[in-house]
């Protein structure tokens, strides 16, 4: 707004005392001060309001006005409540420094002027930003991207003083203003709040508080070429949409500002559409390789397709990569049992995962989620998924993840071991993937909805891909047998007892655990003896009396008494390997 507009507002009761030629100055804010030197709090363009408490005599006016003029303020408004008429020495000082001077009538509160200026300035900034956003939208929809989402987020920061970030469903930072970093735990928490609110159908924007800071969360609807097919079920959008997190409480915003933010989300959706369109080639390559592997095609044919895929997925890489396979499955309403119980490994019927009457297929959702989960965490931005090729069939998504070949020369005496070590460092690990996404994605799933992941070992040739696919599918089944909405298992666990446990019939599980553990549970319930926790700690410490007693903060004699009671109640001997193993498995299956 211009200074001239202040004189045209009767409610402000301002009188111009000097500076008529400077009334076209732009007012960018307002500041109230009675400091003799307020320069540290001024950035230029402010209307300064002062009750003149800093003035002790006539010589004080000139230094005060000189400081204001040097800071580039728009004008000075002096209150008449304390001194009556504005002193002549102040009028002369303002004329000397060409600083517009207003008198504020004693009946007008500074708060009234402040509120009016802030409202006008914010409205004009929003209008200016809306025009910029509209121009930027037209540029992005008709030609190359003009800098991506960061440009719009920088505008929000500079013109509306709003810090904002674009986040993925897992809380990964896709874009943000350069001077406003967002910690990873905060991003994950915001994504979790957004997913939970979206899943329950609450209208946006969603207001939440993380670490004492209030945020408003706006969904970024993906409606372009990369959008999931079919109708937009809330379960799809909860797990697939990006979000715009704004550090502000939007609950009392005027409709004009809300409309502006919705326009920003539409602009960012254009950028996401570009990103998803770029994934089309990678998805097609993955689909072709997957079909060949499942059909039992000759290794030479699979190798030829992989040679085509390698330059697309790993541009500039000279050596042929190794590969890992990751399998994901999203299921609505607990359909796991019916999907996995029958048929050969990996067979998919295409029945919607939500059970009878469900219209939401899990495959496309799992594909979008797997593309997000497998993004290289060391790379930020909306185009950081260039190493990921994900196909889907039925309710399952399958990712081919290339790993750079180990090319560094290793010492001759242990070359194989060193190469394996380097390869292991580059490979994906199920527990690492799970830790990164479990918290936010769990919030986007209802109590009976699930996301399960299986990760294969790395393979070095096309002949190994079929085995890697089956390995990843078996690992996913192990994950599906665990409690929780989001679970993962890796190939390491397939050589362990955990591979056997998910396939033990429920009635056998119940009988086995009841025979061993029910006597201890009953005793604990009656005597509060904590025999079950003692047994778990004893086995976890490999039967070491000293380490177990230290962990439980007990005297060794007390621990010996408890173990003796366990043996007496169960008829087992915890010094025998067989009985230790039985207890261990019973605890795992309980």
């Amino acid at each position: 707004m211009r200074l001239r507009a202040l004189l045209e507002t009767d409610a402000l009761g301002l009188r111009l005392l000097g500076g008529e030629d400077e009334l076209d100055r732009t007012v960018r804010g307002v500041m109230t001060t009675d400091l003799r030197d307020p320069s540290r709090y001024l950035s230029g363009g402010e209307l300064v309001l002062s009750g003149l408490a800093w003035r002790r005599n006539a010589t004080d006016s000139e230094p005060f006005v000189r400081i204001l003029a040097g800071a580039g303020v728009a004008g000075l408004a002096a209150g008449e409540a304390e001194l009556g008429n504005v002193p002549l020495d102040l009028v002369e000082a303002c004329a000397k420094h060409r600083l517009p001077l207003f008198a504020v009538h004693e009946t007008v509160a500074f708060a009234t002027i402040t509120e009016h200026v802030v409202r006008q300035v914010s409205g004009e900034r929003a209008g200016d930003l809306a025009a910029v956003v509209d121009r930027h939208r037209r540029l992005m929809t008709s030609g190359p991207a003009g800098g991506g989402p960061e440009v719009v987020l920088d505008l929000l920061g500079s013109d509306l003083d709003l810090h904002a970030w674009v986040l993925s469903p897992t809380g990964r930072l896709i874009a943000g203003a350069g001077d406003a970093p967002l910690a990873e735990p905060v991003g994950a928490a915001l994504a979790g709040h957004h997913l939970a609110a979206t899943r329950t159908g609450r209208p946006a924007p969603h207001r939440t508080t993380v670490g004492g800071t209030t945020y408003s969360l706006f969904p970024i609807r993906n409606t372009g070429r990369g959008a999931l097919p079919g109708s937009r079920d809330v379960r799809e959008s909860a797990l697939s949409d990006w979000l715009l997190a704004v550090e502000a409480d939007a609950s009392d915003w005027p409709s004009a500002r809300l409309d502006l933010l919705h326009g920003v989300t539409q602009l960012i959706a254009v950028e996401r559409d570009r990103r998803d369109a770029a994934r089309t080639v990678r998805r097609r390559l993955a689909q072709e390789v997957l079909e060949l592997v499942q059909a039992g095609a000759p290794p030479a044919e699979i190798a030829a397709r992989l040679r085509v895929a390698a330059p697309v997925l790993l541009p500039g890489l000279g050596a042929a990569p190794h590969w890992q396979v990751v399998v994901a499955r999203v299921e609505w309403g607990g359909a796991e049992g019916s999907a996995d119980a029958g048929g050969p490994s990996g067979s998919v019927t295409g029945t919607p995962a939500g059970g009878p009457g469900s219209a939401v297929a899990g495959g496309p959702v799992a594909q979008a989620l797997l593309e997000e989960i497998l993004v290289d965490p060391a790379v930020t931005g909306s185009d950081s998924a260039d190493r990921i090729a994900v196909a889907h069939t039925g309710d399952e998504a399958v990712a081919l993840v290339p790993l750079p070949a180990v090319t560094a020369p290793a010492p001759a005496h242990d070359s194989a071991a060193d190469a394996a070590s380097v390869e292991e460092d580059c490979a994906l690990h199920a527990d690492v993937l799970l830790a990164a996404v479990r918290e936010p994605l769990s919030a986007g799933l209802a109590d009976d909805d699930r996301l399960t992941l299986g990760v294969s070992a790395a393979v070095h040739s096309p002949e190994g891909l079929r085995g890697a696919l089956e390995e990843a599918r078996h690992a996913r089944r192990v994950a599906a047998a665990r409690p929780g909405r989001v679970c993962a298992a890796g190939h390491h666990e397939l050589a362990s007892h955990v591979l056997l446990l998910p396939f033990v019939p429920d009635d056998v599980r119940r009988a086995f655990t009841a025979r061993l553990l029910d006597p201890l549970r009953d005793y604990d319930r009656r005597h509060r003896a904590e025999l079950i926790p003692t047994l778990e700690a004893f086995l976890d410490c490999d039967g070491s009396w000293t380490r177990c007693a230290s962990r439980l903060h007990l005297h060794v004699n007390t621990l010996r008494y408890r173990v003796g009671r366990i043996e007496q109640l169960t008829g087992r001997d915890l010094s025998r390997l067989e009985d230790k193993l039985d207890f261990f498995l019973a605890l795992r299956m309980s």
Side-chain angles (χ1 to χ4, degrees), residues 320-344:
H322 305 320
W323 300 87
Q324 272 183 287
V325 176
V326 182
V327 171
R329 191 181 182 100
V330 172
E331 293 167 300
W332 319 110
E336 174 66 35
S338 61
D340 281 343

Side-chain angles (χ1 to χ4, degrees), residues 33-38 53-57 59-60 63-64 67:
T33 183
D34 277 312
L35 295 174
R36 304 186 73 178
D37 181 2
W54 49 266
R55 182 183 180 278
R56 295 183 177 86
N57 54 58
T59 62
D60 291 334
F64 180 77
I67 289 171

Side-chain angles (χ1 to χ4, degrees), residues 8 28 94 96 109 142 146 150 246 305 363 454 457 466 527 546:
E8 298 170 355
R28 303 185 185 280
C94 288
K96 175 183 176 182
S142 61
E150 289 83 1
V246 181
R305 293 297 175 94
R466 184 172 180 83
H527 302 284
T546 304

Side-chain angles (χ1 to χ4, degrees), residues 249-264:
D249 184 354
S251 58
D252 58 351
W253 280 6
S255 58
R257 178 166 286 205
L258 287 173
D259 290 344
L260 172 62
L261 267 294
H262 288 306
V264 169

